[in-house]
Amino acid sequence: MESALSSHHDKGQALLYLTDEQLRQGIEAMFFAYRGFTADPDLILEQFSYGRAHHRALHFIKGAPGTTVNNLLNILGVTKQSLNRVLRSLIEDGLVESHIGKKDRRKRHLFLTSEGIKLEQKLSNAQRLRMRSAFRTAGPEAVAGFRTVLEAMMDPKMRITYTNMRDSGG
Amino acid sequence: MESALSSHHDKGQALLYLTDEQLRQGIEAMFFAYRGFTADPDLILEQFSYGRAHHRALHFIKGAPGTTVNNLLNILGVTKQSLNRVLRSLIEDGLVESHIGKKDRRKRHLFLTSEGIKLEQKLSNAQRLRMRSAFRTAGPEAVAGFRTVLEAMMDPKMRITYTNMRDSGG
DNA sequence: AAGTTTATGTCAGCCTTGTTGACATTCCAA
DNA sequence: TTGGAATGTCAACAAGGCTGACATAAACTT
């Protein structure tokens, strides 16, 4: 275990944000912030008897219309069986449409219906509202730092994916 | 819906980080980063047949030895039945001890055993490793911004709680 | 062309961890 | 002594992870 105030050399003050205590606070900040982050959409989802999994599917289909199930699987990091259950209910409820691929007929291309777009907007508006408020409070430099740390924290594979999600294809 | 490039006045560039696109990226960054954040402990937990719920309990008991069940409930934001199940298994497995309060014998004060400390350290070391690496990569200013935005994003009640978790009591 | 392999999607069933509701116990306080 | 608060237990249920088995389509091999 490293000591709380990095002792060996005297980089103490300069690297204060790397002490175990600072890291612990970062960890707890992530935990509590993530709860805030999901709280507002969760309330809406409840009214529709949906869960976060449905929200995630809607979110990423919206961002990449025509995406395939497999691509969604890679993004979401769940099993196809798990995603399928969610997707099926969204399709049954008329929020998502699944079209068989023309080039490769094994593939299903996913789109939001107008109903799906409506719910997705409701959810993302709620989520953006909190994020916008947090961003406004924190200011642009803090936002830049926020983004930088989050990018460094995520799986490198996802780092490429997450701003660049348009793979539409057909 | 607000337009993507806030149109009405000309604050465009100055508030670019508040566009819907920037907010969407913030949202996705949170999603992917949180997954990275939990990935390493999850691997360890699996070996012990525990889940994240166990990790959270261990984490907060470690941070506030002697905390009561009720206090933990408030921090974790789950039902007592849900927490109880997790706590029971941790107690049965000898990682947590529950002591009846002396002042108020209704209360149970929770402590990690040496076994519990061992697992908690294993988990938090793994989690800190990634966080430290992210902090180091991003640099101190980014870390400050990260903290600022997360604090603005969490429930205000938690803002007070999360750096100041020592309520030990006895 | 026929058979095999690979990619994809579906169905069934299990597990964790969240939820409610009902209820016992134990204790503090009025 | 009665009421309320804190804790714990039992039962039942739901969401959303998981694995295994399997169907179909496409691609590859022979």
Side-chain angles (χ1 to χ4, degrees), chain A residues 69-70 80-81 84-85 88 106-108:
Chain A
V69 172
N70 209 255
K80 60 184 174 170
Q81 295 90 332
N84 187 254
R85 181 169 31 201
R88 206 188 321 151
R106 287 174 300 182
K107 296 188 179 173
R108 303 293 187 279

Side-chain angles (χ1 to χ4, degrees), chain A residues 2 11 15 20 23-24 26 28 35 44 49 52 56-57 81 97 99 101 106 123 132-133 153 155-156 159 161 164 168:
Chain A
E2 221 171 286
K11 39 184 171 180
L15 294 182
D20 280 1
L23 294 167
R24 197 198 111 250
E28 293 189 358
R35 216 163 56 188
I44 296 166
S49 303
R52 274 181 212 171
R56 291 196 284 265
Q81 295 90 332
E97 274 178 2
H99 297 315
R106 287 174 300 182
L123 292 167
R132 187 182 293 115
S133 154
M153 200 149 51
D155 185 302
R159 215 135 47 199
T161 317
N164 188 23
S168 340

Side-chain angles (χ1 to χ4, degrees), chain B residues 2-64:
Chain B
E2 220 172 285
S3 81
L5 286 166
S6 36
S7 43
H8 12 136
H9 345 71
D10 216 276
K11 39 185 171 181
Q13 277 296 78
L15 294 181
L16 199 58
Y17 67 107
L18 290 173
T19 63
D20 281 1
E21 175 56 20
Q22 294 298 312
L23 294 167
R24 197 197 112 252
Q25 289 186 17
I27 286 166
E28 293 188 358
M30 272 301 276
F31 172 65
F32 291 122
Y34 196 80
R35 213 160 61 188
F37 170 71
T38 54
D40 306 321
D42 281 357
L43 288 176
I44 296 166
L45 289 160
E46 211 176 349
Q47 298 163 14
F48 289 77
S49 303
Y50 287 145
R52 275 182 211 172
H54 299 84
H55 183 189
R56 291 196 284 266
L58 291 173
H59 174 97
F60 285 111
I61 293 171
K62 190 229 151 165

Side-chain angles (χ1 to χ4, degrees), chain B residues 3 21 49 61 70 79 84 93 97 114 124 129 141:
Chain B
S3 81
E21 175 56 20
S49 303
I61 293 171
N70 213 339
T79 58
N84 189 256
D93 297 350
E97 274 179 3
S114 59
S124 70
L129 198 65
E141 284 162 45

Side-chain angles (χ1 to χ4, degrees), chain B residues 112-152:
Chain B
L112 297 187
T113 65
S114 59
E115 271 299 298
I117 290 170
K118 227 187 285 176
L119 177 55
E120 196 284 332
Q121 281 190 351
K122 206 166 172 173
L123 293 167
S124 70
N125 280 342
Q127 197 158 45
R128 271 199 301 269
L129 198 65
R130 185 187 289 250
M131 176 101 26
R132 187 181 295 114
S133 154
F135 277 14
R136 188 169 286 152
T137 303
E141 284 162 45
V143 169
F146 164 78
R147 290 283 302 273
T148 304
V149 172
L150 290 193
E151 275 170 48

